[in-house]
């Protein structure tokens, strides 16, 4: 594990049960909260109290203002049926069936994805929207969230980043 960058904030969420380390990450899966105005704390509480989970299901969370916060981090999450053991789930606050993600959120998503691509030796084709998995019928991360465009934009920045190293 590379040293975690300082721009990933850790608010030390408490989980009811010990988390299990992720061993084999093959995908980065992008989600939206679908609820408007839900931040990481509200999502964490909802997953604990209403879903009965150990705590927030997502590995990372991106607030409306672009702040990147650690959820389960590098532990097995609960965000995509049958993919939890092999993926990192990133959730952006908002409902992108109705709204569009903020510029700050998209910048943060790209920054976080680039860190994770390097960390787990992945390609941008391994970044998927939740709805692109066979296991879901949801529109997540929202109809207004264009996955091809996001992948392309991250790819350009990823190549730039690699070229600079
Ligand atoms: Zn989702």
């Amino acid at each position: 594990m590379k040293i975690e960058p300082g721009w990933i904030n850790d608010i030390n969420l408490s989980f009811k049960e010990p988390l299990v380390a992720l061993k084999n990450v093959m995908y980065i899966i992008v989600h939206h909260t679908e609820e408007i105005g839900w931040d990481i704390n509200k999502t964490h509480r909802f997953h604990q109290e209403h879903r009965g989970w150990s705590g927030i299901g997502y590995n990372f969370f991106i607030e409306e203002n672009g702040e990147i916060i650690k959820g389960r981090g590098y532990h097995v999450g609960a965000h995509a049926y049958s993919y939890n053991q092999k993926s990192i789930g990133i959730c952006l606050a908002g409902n992108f069936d109705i709204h569009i993600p903020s510029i700050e959120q998209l910048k943060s998503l790209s920054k976080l994805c680039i860190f994770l691509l390097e960390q787990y030796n992945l390609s941008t084709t391994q970044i998927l929207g939740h709805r692109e998995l066979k296991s879901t019928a949801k529109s997540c991360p929202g109809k207004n969230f264009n996955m091809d465009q996001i992948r392309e934009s991250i790819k350009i920045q990823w190549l730039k980043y690699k070229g600079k190293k």
Side-chain angles (χ1 to χ4, degrees):
M1 169 72 60
K2 230 184 74 172
I3 293 167
E4 185 172 70
W7 43 261
I8 296 180
N9 298 314
D10 194 343
I11 56 169
N12 293 307
L13 292 171
S14 62
F15 290 85
K16 289 191 205 157
E17 291 125 39
L19 299 175
V20 178
L22 263 172
K23 287 191 199 117
N24 182 26
V25 174
M26 293 168 66
Y27 303 99
I28 295 169
I29 300 174
V30 182
H31 303 266
H32 65 164
T33 55
E34 205 181 322
E35 303 291 340
I36 296 167
W38 283 29
D39 63 4
I40 188 167
N41 289 301
K42 177 133 198 212
T43 307
H44 181 62
R45 272 200 307 277
F46 179 81
H47 285 178
Q48 260 181 351
E49 291 164 16
H50 299 275
R51 293 270 160 85
W53 297 343
S54 188
I56 192 165
Y58 305 113
N59 300 81
F60 295 95
F61 196 92
I62 301 178
E63 299 287 1
E64 280 171 29
N65 66 4
E67 187 183 1
I68 300 171
I69 307 177
K70 198 195 273 189
R72 297 204 188 198
Y74 314 97
H75 297 96
V76 175
H79 60 92
Y81 179 74
S82 86
Y83 281 80
N84 292 320
Q85 309 283 337
K86 53 184 177 184
S87 67
I88 290 268
I90 302 175
C91 182
L92 282 74
N95 182 334
F96 308 127
D97 281 331
I98 299 169
H99 299 284
I100 55 164
S102 72
I103 304 229
E104 290 79 12
Q105 281 181 310
L106 293 177
K107 275 190 192 160
S108 293
L109 177 63
S110 170
K111 196 167 162 184
L112 181 57
C113 282
I114 285 169
F115 168 70
L116 295 169
L117 291 173
E118 184 175 39
Q119 186 76 38
Y120 293 109
N121 202 17
L122 304 174
S123 105
T124 51
T125 57
Q126 288 161 290
I127 302 172
L128 299 174
H130 189 187
R131 66 169 175 264
E132 294 177 301
L133 309 180
K134 288 187 188 83
S135 57
T136 186
K138 292 180 169 186
S139 62
C140 181
K143 286 180 223 149
N144 301 330
F145 207 100
N146 184 328
M147 282 310 302
D148 288 327
Q149 209 174 58
I150 297 286
R151 267 188 293 269
E152 191 52 34
S153 138
I154 295 174
K155 187 178 173 184
I156 292 166
Q157 290 167 70
W158 172 226
L159 294 175
K160 237 191 252 173
Y161 173 84
K162 283 202 287 188
K164 268 193 221 145
K165 278 183 59 192

